[in-house]
Amino acid sequence: MLDVTVIEDPEAAAVSLDPVRARLLAELAAGPASAAMLAGRVGLPRQKVNYHLKTLERHGLVELAGERRKGNVTERLMRATAASYVISPLALASVQPDPDRFRDQLSARWLLALGARLVRDVGSLLTGAARARKRLATYALDGEVRFASAADRAAFVQELTAGVGALIRKYDAPGAEGGRDHRIVVAVHPTVKDPDGAAAPELDAP
């Protein structure tokens, strides 16, 4: 089971968003189970659960973990293909965010568009790497900082922009034969304290 995987197919995305199937995915992420076992947990008939499992399996969201005999019946034990799923903007390709449409480093919506592109691109790279059975070279930096004031945050952003810009200019080799392009995204945003992301952020005075 993968830790996280990206759903790119629109039909698979729609399947995963069904409340019953989402509940089944959560149950199967915790461990393998049969339709009969799941029926008791989610309060549905076994036949109904089996129908949902076949739909999830058809879209690659669950897979066969094993089989076991129970009386005269052979039960199929299913498991989720990942512990968690992310829906790629490719699932809504015609209306996916395009950060190149406008560029505003102080815009939260531009940051959102960048994040969406990051999910899309890394998801596609993961899919290609899995097909080629190769590892994907990536790097991420995650941290938190408490600014004493809005002025300090503005100064931080200015220094960060200058520092990263200097590194890009130092190592950028556009004419290097055999080189490979990499995208760099650095984001600064208020920390979301509520686990559901529902907490209102603290806004700066105009």
Side-chain angles (χ1 to χ4, degrees):
M1 178 192 296
L2 299 172
D3 179 54
V4 62
T5 193
V6 178
I7 299 173
E8 298 176 325
D9 178 66
E11 292 186 10
V15 165
S16 70
L17 290 173
D18 177 87
V20 173
R21 292 165 186 161
R23 170 73 187 281
L24 293 174
L25 280 176
E27 292 288 344
L28 293 175
S34 67
M37 295 165 63
L38 291 168
R41 299 178 192 174
V42 300
L44 289 174
R46 181 184 59 80
Q47 293 86 348
K48 195 80 171 179
V49 171
N50 200 41
Y51 166 76
H52 287 303
L53 289 177
K54 287 182 178 179
T55 302
L56 290 167
E57 184 179 16
R58 188 164 61 249
H59 289 90
L61 301 174
V62 302
E63 62 188 3
L64 183 67
E67 296 180 334
R68 70 176 184 181
R69 294 285 297 178
K70 191 173 182 180
N72 295 326
V73 178
T74 299
E75 287 189 328
R76 301 176 81 231
L77 296 175
M78 306 301 294
R79 67 183 173 195
T81 53
S84 57
Y85 300 85
V86 175
I87 297 178
S88 169
L90 286 176
L92 290 170
S94 60
V95 291
Q96 63 178 305
D98 181 7
D100 293 327
R101 191 174 299 138
F102 69 95
R103 299 180 67 86
D104 182 353
Q105 292 176 306
L106 301 180
S107 168
R109 296 188 187 280
W110 190 59
L111 174 58
L112 188 62
L114 286 174
R117 185 178 65 186
L118 181 65
V119 170
R120 182 198 68 191
D121 290 353
V122 174
S124 297
L125 289 168
L126 280 171
T127 299
R131 288 173 180 167
R133 297 186 178 180
K134 292 183 178 181
R135 294 192 61 183
L136 180 63
T138 62
Y139 168 78
L141 177 64
D142 179 39
E144 291 189 24
V145 57
R146 177 182 288 265
F147 296 110
S149 65
D152 282 354
R153 185 181 63 191
F156 174 86
V157 169
Q158 187 175 18
E159 290 184 39
L160 180 66
T161 301
V164 173
L167 284 172
I168 291 174
R169 291 189 295 273
K170 178 179 179 180
Y171 289 99
D172 186 27
E177 186 176 349
R180 183 171 183 181
D181 294 335
H182 287 71
R183 183 175 299 281
I184 300 168
V185 177
V186 178
V188 178
H189 61 82
T191 302
V192 178
K193 297 299 185 183
D194 188 285
D196 297 324
E202 182 178 349
L203 302 177
D204 292 328

